[in-house]
């Protein structure tokens, strides 16, 4: 049981099922969703009763059912400990076993104020209720203010466990008191609860925030700006590999790399329309010589300036401009989440500007590039969603939309990728394909996008001289492969539970001298690996060999090269792999070749079964 700050999604109350209003309906006629809602809701009351029994002077605030369970907020004289949670849970089980009725009625507000006279949070809630009467529910002599939807008896709440406590401001307002939010997980059966808890534990083991700390990859510094990532040296090594692969693949595919400013005058964002439609997602402007300058939330307007810097001919098209462009977007602080949801991030952005004839081949090229690079990271299961023209609000000509949609479909068909179509779900300015990765836990992550734009070429009056000697409007496509380098890194860490494939691993090999007298030979081994540009460290600390191996394992280092007297004499190493274990004595040159080959082929970790 640990404190886990900020789980915004889990705290959101779920939408009520259709039969939510049937408070008087017999339980057996309810939908499974409504029954589960009532189980979780009833358990929250039982939780409040148990907590107030332990802390009679405590104040209780609100306690709704949520996805996976329920919570209740309390104002208590001291922070709850894990032992408290056990005691609370025992008391809850006692009330559940007693199987007492949960009974409710509607009473005048004054009567309610008298009942909750020493409960300030309840009094505040009563004052805000518009009706003359308020719902008053009671079980086992415990009173609560509530709008109904319970099980009939406390014995009907299902299988539950209290999971953790975290801080939560009363009404989510940081100027109001900080309360203690006690969370419980609850499911109809013990099997479902166990399955949920196992999945939760696995997700926690892979949590990129925790692994980011343990593996020294990155940090955030809330006090100096929430949602801003500090990449540590080891994280930066991974990022360099991501960027290098990205650059090489884009250069090979005929992209030009560009660099553009981080900020631009308000006039740019007025012309692009961002100040009309996107202002609330932008950082506030800064004043420079009497003008408002904005941090860029997107790179597009800058790439368009590069395009427009000269009169363009069809002979220059397609033009593919790519940039690892760092952008800043305002997100509410409650929604920020490690590297996955941030305020500053680097988009691997590119814009393709082309003629109508070129559209289809360009899109096919983009989709092939995406699949090739995602495959290199070990993401072979990719789902695509095509979003088409909205029925009413859209810009651009229908023929252009049709051409764009046809080319998107053709690209998906030519690459053989299965896809869904979201009819009418495209943005007002163009159709798109979103690509979702599927990770090791079967979770979907939206990352890559290819998006047509019929809006910006108009706004910026982009043109090219076609073969007919006339000026025409080009097609423009925005596309990002990683989406955001930060987010992609977070996904990678969770997908691999920190054990990144060797080509990405921040440290690819650790040399472990058994005793001090082997440190010199360890240096020779290190130099042999470093000469092949492998990322290698020597652990010449005072730990025993076993402890050094454990340390390297915990740091998820792919190879450990243990060296003692025999290895030093024979020009060999005793090779270990993080997943395969002991691989036995190996000539140094052979070990170096093996590791370099694994890096050069961007091989996934070998499977333990394959080890001979
Ligand atoms: Zn209730
Ligand atoms: Zn763009």
């Amino acid at each position: 049981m640990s404190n886990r700050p900020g789980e915004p999604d889990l705290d959101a109350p779920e939408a009520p099922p259709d039969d939510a209003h049937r408070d008087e309906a017999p339980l057996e006629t309810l939908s499974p969703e409504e029954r589960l809602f009532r189980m979780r809701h009833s358990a929250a009351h039982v939780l409040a009763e148990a907590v107030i029994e332990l802390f009679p002077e405590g104040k209780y605030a609100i306690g709704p059912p949520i996805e996976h369970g329920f919570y209740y907020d309390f104002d208590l004289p001291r922070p709850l400990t894990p032992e408290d949670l056990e005691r609370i849970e025992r008391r809850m089980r006692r009330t559940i076993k007693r199987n007492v009725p949960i009974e409710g009625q509607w009473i005048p507000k004054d009567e309610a104020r008298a009942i909750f006279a020493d409960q300030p949070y309840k009094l505040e809630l009563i004052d805000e209720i518009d009706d003359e009467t308020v719902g008053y529910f009671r079980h086992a002599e415990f009173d609560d203010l509530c709008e109904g939807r319970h099980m009939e008896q406390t014995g009907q709440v299902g299988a539950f466990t209290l999971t953790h406590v975290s801080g939560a401001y009363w009404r989510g307002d940081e100027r109001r008191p900080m309360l203690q939010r006690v969370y419980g997980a609850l499911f109809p059966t013990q099997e479902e609860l166990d399955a949920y808890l196992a999945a939760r534990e696995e997700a926690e083991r892979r949590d990129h925030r925790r692994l980011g700390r343990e593996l020294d990859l990155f940090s955030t510094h809330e006090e100096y700006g929430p949602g801003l990532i500090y990449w540590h040296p080891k994280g930066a090594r991974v990022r360099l590999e991501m960027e290098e692969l990205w650059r090489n693949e884009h250069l090979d595919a005929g992209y030009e790399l560009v660099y553009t400013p981080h900020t631009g005058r308000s006039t740019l964002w007025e012309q692009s329309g961002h100040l009309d439609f996107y202002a609330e997602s932008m950082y506030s402007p800064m004043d420079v010589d009497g003008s408002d300058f904005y941090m860029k939330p997107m790179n597009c307007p800058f790439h368009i300036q590069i395009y427009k810097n000269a009169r363009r001919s069809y002979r220059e098209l397609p033009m593919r401009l790519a940039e690892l462009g760092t952008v800043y977007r305002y997100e509410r602080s409650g929604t920020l989440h490690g590297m996955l949801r941030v305020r500053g991030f680097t988009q691997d952005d590119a814009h393709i500007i082309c003629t109508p004839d070129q559209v289809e081949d360009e899109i096919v090229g983009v989709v092939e590039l995406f699949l090739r690079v995602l495959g290199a990271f070990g993401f072979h299961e990719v789902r695509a969603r095509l979003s088409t023209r909205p029925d009413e609000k859209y810009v651009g000509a229908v023929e252009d939309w049709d051409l764009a949609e046809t080319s998107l479909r053709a690209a998906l068909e030519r690459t053989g990728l299965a896809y869904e179509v979201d009819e009418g779900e495209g943005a007002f300015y163009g159709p798109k394909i979103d690509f979702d990765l599927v990770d090791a836990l079967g979770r979907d992550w939206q990352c890559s996008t290819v998006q047509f734009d019929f809006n910006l070429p108009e706004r910026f009056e982009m043109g090219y001289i076609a073969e007919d000697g006339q000026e025409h409007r080009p097609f423009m496509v925005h596309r990002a492969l990683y989406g955001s380098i930060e987010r992609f890194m977070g996904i990678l860490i969770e997908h691999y539970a920190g054990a990144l494939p060797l080509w990405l691993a921040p440290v690819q090999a650790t040399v472990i001298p058994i005793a001090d007298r082997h440190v010199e030979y360890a240096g020779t081994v290190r130099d042999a690996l470093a000469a092949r540009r492998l990322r290698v460290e020597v652990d010449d600390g005072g730990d025993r060999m076993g402890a050094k191996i454990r340390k390297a394992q915990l740091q998820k280092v792919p190879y450990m090269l243990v060296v003692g007297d025999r290895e030093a004499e024979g020009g060999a190493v005793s090779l270990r792999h993080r997943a395969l274990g002991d691989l036995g004595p190996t000539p140094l040159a052979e070990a170096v070749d093996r590791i370099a080959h694994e890096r050069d082929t961007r091989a996934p970790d070998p499977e333990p079964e394959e080890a001979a």
Side-chain angles (χ1 to χ4, degrees):
M1 293 177 194
S2 62
N3 286 340
R4 299 197 310 164
E7 292 191 314
D9 294 333
L10 299 185
D11 288 4
E14 288 188 89
D18 293 342
D19 49 355
H21 58 283
R22 297 170 60 200
D23 207 29
E24 306 301 318
L27 287 178
E28 59 279 11
T29 68
L30 297 174
S31 67
E33 295 76 32
E34 178 63 13
R35 272 182 75 92
L36 184 54
F37 179 101
R38 293 186 183 201
M39 287 178 175
R40 289 171 173 167
H41 181 176
S42 306
H45 285 292
V46 175
L47 165 62
E49 178 211 352
V51 170
I52 298 305
E53 220 176 44
L54 273 176
F55 299 93
E57 70 280 39
K59 311 296 176 205
Y60 50 119
I62 52 163
I66 52 172
E67 195 185 0
H68 310 311
F70 57 92
Y71 71 76
Y72 215 115
D73 287 348
F74 301 97
D75 192 346
L76 302 173
R78 64 169 175 81
L80 291 168
T81 63
E83 293 70 40
D84 289 330
L85 284 198
E86 282 169 27
R87 287 164 68 207
I88 294 165
E89 196 173 305
R90 274 201 301 277
R91 278 170 194 261
M92 288 176 71
R93 295 198 189 285
R94 206 180 306 154
T95 303
I96 288 165
K97 201 164 167 206
R98 278 172 59 208
N99 197 21
V100 295
I102 304 172
E103 292 165 315
Q105 53 181 307
W106 296 83
I107 58 173
K109 276 184 164 181
D110 281 344
E111 211 175 300
R113 283 195 189 93
I115 293 170
F116 296 106
D118 57 352
Q119 290 295 333
Y121 301 103
K122 297 294 178 191
L123 292 175
E124 191 176 325
L125 293 169
I126 292 169
D127 285 343
E128 283 173 14
I129 294 170
D130 270 339
D131 272 324
E132 286 312 302
T133 58
V134 298
Y136 161 70
F137 282 77
R138 156 172 270 240
H139 74 272
E141 273 139 55
F142 179 76
D143 302 319
D144 210 342
L145 185 72
C146 177
E147 290 182 336
R149 297 170 69 190
H150 307 97
M151 301 304 278
E152 289 160 359
Q153 306 270 137
T154 55
Q156 297 164 324
V157 301
F160 82 100
T161 186
L162 297 183
T163 52
H164 61 291
V165 184
S166 76
Y169 290 108
W170 169 234
R171 324 228 78 167
D173 181 346
E174 54 201 67
R175 291 159 302 186
R176 308 298 305 273
M178 169 73 90
L179 306 176
Q180 297 190 66
R181 178 167 293 178
V182 180
Y183 287 89
L186 188 150
F187 289 85
T189 64
Q190 189 65 41
E191 292 75 56
E192 287 162 282
L193 176 64
D194 289 344
Y196 164 72
L197 292 174
R200 184 175 182 268
E201 200 178 295
E202 182 59 23
E204 234 162 68
R205 190 175 75 79
R206 291 170 179 266
D207 189 315
H208 75 286
R209 294 168 297 179
R210 172 181 160 169
L211 287 166
R213 199 165 46 240
E214 288 173 3
L215 304 179
D216 196 14
L217 300 172
F218 74 96
S219 57
T220 53
H221 300 268
E222 192 81 9
E223 64 278 34
Y224 303 123
L228 304 174
I229 303 296
Y230 293 60
W231 293 75
H232 295 198
K234 285 182 179 168
R237 292 179 191 174
V238 182
R239 177 172 173 157
L240 275 174
E241 291 291 347
M242 294 167 65
E243 292 186 358
E244 185 170 304
L245 173 65
W246 185 90
R247 279 194 198 96
N248 292 337
E249 286 286 347
H250 282 76
L251 291 171
D252 288 352
Y255 286 75
E256 295 285 355
L257 301 186
V258 297
Y259 300 87
T260 62
H262 286 225
T263 180
R265 202 191 297 272
S266 55
T267 44
L268 181 66
W269 308 109
E270 274 157 19
Q271 194 175 359
S272 68
H274 284 95
L275 285 181
D276 284 336
F277 304 114
Y278 204 74
E280 63 194 37
S281 298
M282 291 166 75
Y283 268 45
S284 311
M286 55 195 142
D287 178 276
V288 181
D289 292 342
S291 297
D292 279 347
F293 276 71
Y294 288 86
M295 301 298 289
K296 64 175 167 185
M298 296 182 192
N299 304 296
C300 345
F302 296 92
H303 291 190
I304 291 172
Q305 298 317 310
I306 293 174
Y307 177 82
K308 285 192 44 151
N309 202 47
R311 204 169 145 87
R312 301 297 180 185
S313 142
Y314 70 94
R315 289 192 196 85
E316 295 172 80
L317 304 184
M319 186 180 285
R320 310 181 190 96
L321 302 178
E323 176 175 15
L324 293 169
T326 301
V327 298
Y328 291 87
R329 295 183 188 174
Y330 177 76
E331 301 263 5
R332 282 189 306 112
S333 65
T335 65
L336 300 173
H337 182 88
M339 283 186 146
L340 295 175
R341 192 95 185 244
V342 293
R343 284 183 177 168
F345 59 95
T346 298
Q347 257 189 329
D348 65 307
D349 209 359
H351 296 94
I352 298 173
I353 301 160
C354 66
T355 67
D357 301 347
Q358 295 166 336
V359 164
E360 186 169 325
D361 285 343
E362 286 306 306
I363 300 296
V364 171
V366 168
V367 175
E368 284 173 350
L369 172 67
F370 282 6
L371 296 181
R372 191 163 61 242
V373 175
L374 295 176
F377 286 94
F379 295 114
H380 299 291
E381 200 183 343
V382 176
R383 297 185 184 138
R385 270 175 297 123
L386 168 65
S387 302
T388 61
R389 180 166 51 83
D391 287 336
E392 285 174 10
K393 281 192 181 159
Y394 61 90
V395 297
V398 173
E399 312 86 81
D400 290 346
W401 277 82
D402 289 346
L403 172 59
E405 288 175 10
T406 306
S407 65
L408 291 171
R409 271 177 216 273
L412 290 168
E413 311 267 325
R414 268 162 70 176
T415 46
L417 195 65
Y419 65 99
E420 287 170 30
V421 181
D422 288 343
E423 292 290 352
E425 292 298 308
F428 75 91
Y429 52 87
K432 65 167 176 178
I433 307 174
D434 289 314
F435 297 85
D436 289 352
L437 304 178
V438 183
D439 79 1
L441 294 186
R443 298 174 298 184
D444 286 1
W445 299 96
Q446 204 256 301
C447 65
S448 316
T449 310
V450 47
Q451 165 83 60
F452 277 89
D453 193 330
F454 299 123
N455 183 40
L456 289 181
E458 288 292 328
R459 281 182 165 269
F460 284 100
E461 299 176 331
M462 295 165 71
Y464 69 97
I465 305 299
E467 279 176 286
D468 61 8
Q470 303 296 309
E471 178 152 310
H472 292 259
R473 196 70 84 213
F475 273 68
M476 180 167 135
V477 174
H478 313 256
R479 35 112 304 166
L481 200 175
Y482 299 140
S484 132
I485 297 213
E486 283 74 7
R487 184 175 149 80
F488 198 82
M489 173 81 163
I491 296 168
L492 273 179
I493 295 170
E494 299 208 352
H495 177 64
Y496 285 109
L500 297 172
L502 181 125
W503 70 277
L504 285 166
V507 179
Q508 294 165 320
T510 299
V511 186
I512 298 176
I514 292 174
D516 281 349
R517 64 179 183 281
H518 307 124
V519 169
E520 194 188 328
Y521 178 62
T524 308
V525 172
R526 180 200 52 219
D527 293 347
L529 290 157
R532 299 283 286 274
R533 293 232 162 125
L534 287 161
R535 295 184 287 268
V536 55
E537 286 181 356
V538 176
D539 186 350
D540 53 9
D543 293 333
R544 300 177 71 94
M545 183 183 73
K548 288 180 179 177
I549 290 174
R550 263 195 306 284
K551 202 162 99 192
Q553 285 285 150
L554 284 174
Q555 285 296 306
K556 324 266 185 190
V557 178
Y559 283 98
M560 288 148 271
L561 293 79
V562 181
V563 296
D565 290 333
R566 238 179 322 145
E567 287 80 13
E569 273 161 37
V573 297
S574 182
L575 196 61
R576 284 187 73 87
H577 185 271
R578 64 182 173 197
L580 306 177
D582 189 6
L583 299 171
T586 310
L588 175 58
E590 195 181 299
V592 174
D593 280 345
R594 173 184 179 134
I595 298 170
H597 179 75
E598 203 171 312
R599 185 256 329 262
D600 295 341
T601 54
R602 295 202 177 88
D605 254 22
E607 297 285 335
E609 304 83 78
E610 290 170 17

